[in-house]
Amino acid sequence: MTKSEIIEPFLKRLRVSTDIVEEDERAISSLPIVARQVANGEAIASIGDRPSACCLVIDGFVLRSKIVGTGQRQILAFHQAGDVPDLQSLFLHVMDHDVSALGNCVLGFIPHGPLRDLIKHRPNIAQALWRDTLTDAAVFREWICNIGQRDATSRVAHLVLELYTRLKAIGRTDGLAFSFPATQALFADAIGTSVVHMNRVVQELRSRRLLDFDRGRISILDEAGLREAADFDALYLHLDPSL
Amino acid sequence: MTKSEIIEPFLKRLRVSTDIVEEDERAISSLPIVARQVANGEAIASIGDRPSACCLVIDGFVLRSKIVGTGQRQILAFHQAGDVPDLQSLFLHVMDHDVSALGNCVLGFIPHGPLRDLIKHRPNIAQALWRDTLTDAAVFREWICNIGQRDATSRVAHLVLELYTRLKAIGRTDGLAFSFPATQALFADAIGTSVVHMNRVVQELRSRRLLDFDRGRISILDEAGLREAADFDALYLHLDPSL
DNA sequence: CGCTTCATTGAAACGTTTCAACGCTAGTGG
DNA sequence: CCACTAGCGTTGAAACGTTTCAATGAAGCG
């Protein structure tokens, strides 16, 4: 994998959110990034760790999660190509949650030192990265609404639309479908329900012809109907930075 | 209210998270902040707005919330003296949620322009503010866990301990009690339950001698017991920036 | 082939919501 | 000073959404 393949999703994302100049791109190109294939479920950073590098998703998906006192796991976020899920470790030195691979993926590791230098000397990039962590927070807020106020069916519909919308923005959808290597159990951990109930919800959404789950592939059958069921409004994703 | 009284909670917070030099403090002191008394429930920024100033909490509390499709309100965060609840509006131009006063409070309004200049020229302050938005996100993540995985009793206990711990850090607790002008209905909107159930939970916590609610005042009766019931670990608040 | 993982099912138990009603308290105006 | 009002806290009972447990089927893998 060449250096330009490694940083391409990252650059793409930065370009949409800020006016990156040639010098910025050069600075990013000279970052010492080590790319690595990571297997499904492998830990990238764990609660209590003090990472010395950030992880850039190059291909595949990464999830963030936390184990609560009862031993149950809550999934906090899903990350796709171009995301830096643990950018916070630059400023919050101790991890307060876990980061792990969702399916097999390719990750790039950027040491904190050079990343800090980049932020210091390239204000455009600093701003784009700060903005990124803020949209992250906006997604967390929407998840709080989703889990706190909507019933399980809407929650699943909402999450599917979120994933679809974000993947579409980076051109990784296939019509109204996209590949996402998650089991129903994993989805259940994300929306805060039991696996059994998650399964019943999936069946309901299928029978209402809104969407379909099939071994790592999610297909939207009726986008308008799903939006309606999900109470979905993409505003919170802040995909258009000019707004 | 003098200028130094206005910026004192803000400076206090910045001092703990970064090495602020005298020049930084001078730059903050010369910010054009307009302080204003704001009444309970008054809107500070609403979804869809494009604010041109950020709001600094000087005294009292501010809440962030969002109305979902069913008309129900989910509270997303509570903010106290020294917080800038809508700092994100500097980079995410359209508000994706509402900000309003919780009880009567004193707020300072800082125009985006001077704030942006401050960030540009004072990297220490920029970093401290970035860090602040990151701890905000850490709190959102914990709320996702709280609402997603814990039962209503633990949720309430957890939220009370969060408020207590944060207020204690800025010296605004009174032994094991603190004043917090929230009704049970408001708490219910924060933890995602009905008012009726919230009330039953409060009664349970009272009868277990863990805490007491009384007209705007929350008293912890048994801190260890409450921690146990809440599954609370303050790590996610990142109160010690040296860690 | 057997093993494991994932999806599916039924039935009972549980936590929570809903609705409707009532009591308390503080504030307001006659 | 009292009656009235509005907001908040409290209660009971029935309905609802969801969990739990335990079991079964289907698919993928060494």
Side-chain angles (χ1 to χ4, degrees):
Chain A
M1 190 166 235
T2 68
K3 188 63 173 276
S4 83
E5 282 171 339
I6 288 174
I7 60 172
E8 187 271 330
F10 187 52
L11 277 179
K12 186 171 176 182
R13 136 146 317 186
L14 290 180
R15 277 196 208 102
V16 293
S17 59
T18 338
D19 295 320
I20 298 284
V21 297
E22 204 190 317
E23 215 175 332
D24 292 324
E25 301 215 3
R26 251 205 312 279
I28 290 169
S29 299
S30 62
L31 277 175
I33 307 182
V34 181
R36 208 179 93 216
Q37 180 88 36
V38 175
N40 183 21
E42 203 175 308
I44 296 156
S46 302
I47 193 163
D49 283 1
R50 299 165 146 278
S52 59
C54 287
C55 134
L56 165 67
V57 183
I58 297 165
D59 192 44
F61 298 92
V62 157
L63 65 84
R64 303 211 249 170
S65 64
K66 202 162 177 172
I67 308 288
V68 301
T70 52
Q72 292 163 101
R73 176 175 71 160
Q74 174 68 48
I75 291 177
L76 302 164
F78 293 113
H79 290 278
Q80 63 191 26
D83 290 356
V84 183
D86 56 354
L87 190 63
Q88 52 146 6
S89 66
L90 266 184
F91 301 109
L92 302 178
H93 308 300
V94 179
M95 288 298 295
D96 56 36
H97 61 280
D98 302 321
V99 181
S100 59
L102 165 54
N104 301 319
C105 55
V106 182
L107 305 180
F109 293 88
I110 316 173
H112 280 177
L115 200 48
R116 256 189 261 273
D117 289 343
L118 184 71
I119 285 168
K120 204 164 170 183
H121 299 114
R122 308 263 99 229
N124 281 344
I125 296 174
Q127 178 167 332
L129 291 177
W130 190 344
R131 188 179 191 281
D132 245 41
T133 62
L134 290 170
T135 61
D136 246 44
V139 174
F140 292 143
R141 287 193 292 273
E142 187 64 32
W143 279 44
I144 291 175
C145 289
N146 206 30
I147 298 175
Q149 301 296 340
R150 297 194 256 259
D151 66 18
T153 310
S154 296
R155 293 216 278 275
V156 173
H158 196 282
L159 179 52
V160 166
L161 279 170
E162 177 181 307
L163 291 168
Y164 171 73
T165 308
R166 291 177 57 209
L167 284 169
K168 196 176 174 189
I170 59 164
R172 303 225 176 176
T173 49
D174 175 15
L176 283 168
F178 56 96
S179 79
F180 189 71
T183 62
Q184 293 188 7
L186 195 124
F187 248 80
D189 284 349
I191 61 161
T193 66
S194 65
V195 196
V196 172
H197 196 60
M198 172 69 201
N199 178 259
R200 296 196 235 259
V201 166
V202 168
Q203 288 175 58
E204 187 204 332
L205 288 167
R206 267 204 279 254
S207 75
R208 286 168 63 186
R209 307 229 136 265
L210 295 177
L211 60 78
D212 195 24
F213 273 64
D214 185 40
R215 267 165 287 123
R217 190 169 181 77
I218 297 175
S219 312
I220 295 173
L221 303 176
D222 171 2
E223 194 181 349
L226 196 61
R227 281 199 133 71
E228 163 95 29
D231 178 31
F232 184 82
D233 178 345
L235 173 68
Y236 75 96
L237 292 173
H238 297 277
L239 287 172
D240 185 347
S242 67
L243 289 179
Chain B
M1 189 164 236
T2 69
K3 188 64 173 277
S4 83
E5 282 171 340
I6 289 174
I7 60 172
E8 188 273 330
F10 186 52
L11 278 178
K12 185 170 176 183
R13 133 143 324 183
L14 290 180
R15 278 196 207 102
V16 294
S17 59
T18 338
D19 294 319
I20 298 284
V21 297
E22 205 190 316
E23 215 175 331
D24 292 325
E25 300 213 3
R26 250 204 314 279
I28 290 170
S29 298
S30 61
L31 277 175
I33 307 182
V34 180
R36 208 179 93 217
Q37 181 88 35
V38 176
N40 183 21
E42 204 174 306
I44 295 156
S46 303
I47 193 162
D49 284 359
R50 299 165 146 279
S52 58
C54 287
C55 134
L56 166 67
V57 184
I58 296 166
D59 192 43
F61 297 92
V62 157
L63 65 82
R64 302 211 250 170
S65 63
K66 203 163 178 172
I67 308 289
V68 301
T70 52
Q72 292 162 99
R73 176 175 70 160
Q74 174 68 47
I75 292 177
L76 302 164
F78 294 113
H79 289 278
Q80 63 191 27
D83 290 356
V84 183
D86 56 355
L87 189 64
Q88 53 147 3
S89 65
L90 266 184
F91 301 110
L92 301 178
H93 309 301
V94 179
M95 287 298 295
D96 56 37
H97 61 280
D98 302 321
V99 181
S100 59
L102 166 54
N104 301 318
C105 55
V106 181
L107 304 180
F109 294 88
I110 316 172
H112 280 177
L115 200 49
R116 255 189 261 274
D117 289 343
L118 184 71
I119 285 167
K120 204 164 173 184
H121 299 114
R122 308 262 101 229
N124 281 344
I125 296 174
Q127 178 167 331
L129 291 176
W130 191 344
R131 199 189 123 89
D132 246 42
T133 62
L134 291 171
T135 63
D136 247 45
V139 174
F140 292 143
R141 287 193 292 273
E142 187 64 32
W143 280 43
I144 291 174
C145 289
N146 206 30
I147 298 174
Q149 301 295 339
R150 297 194 255 259
D151 65 19
T153 310
S154 296
R155 293 216 278 274
V156 174
H158 196 281
L159 178 51
V160 166
L161 278 170
E162 177 181 306
L163 291 169
Y164 170 73
T165 308
R166 291 177 57 208
L167 283 169
K168 196 176 172 190
I170 59 164
R172 303 224 176 177
T173 49
D174 175 15
L176 282 168
F178 57 96
S179 79
F180 190 73
T183 61
Q184 293 188 5
L186 196 124
F187 249 80
D189 284 350
I191 61 161
T193 65
S194 65
V195 195
V196 172
H197 196 59
M198 172 70 200
N199 178 260
R200 294 196 236 260
V201 167
V202 167
Q203 288 174 61
E204 187 204 331
L205 288 167
R206 267 204 277 256
S207 75
R208 285 167 64 185
R209 308 230 136 265
L210 295 178
L211 59 79
D212 196 23
F213 273 64
D214 185 40
R215 267 164 288 123
R217 190 169 181 75
I218 297 174
S219 312
I220 296 174
L221 303 175
D222 171 1
E223 193 181 350
L226 195 62
R227 281 199 132 71
E228 163 93 29
D231 179 31
F232 184 82
D233 178 347
L235 173 69
Y236 75 96
L237 293 173
H238 297 278
L239 288 172
D240 185 347
S242 66
L243 288 179

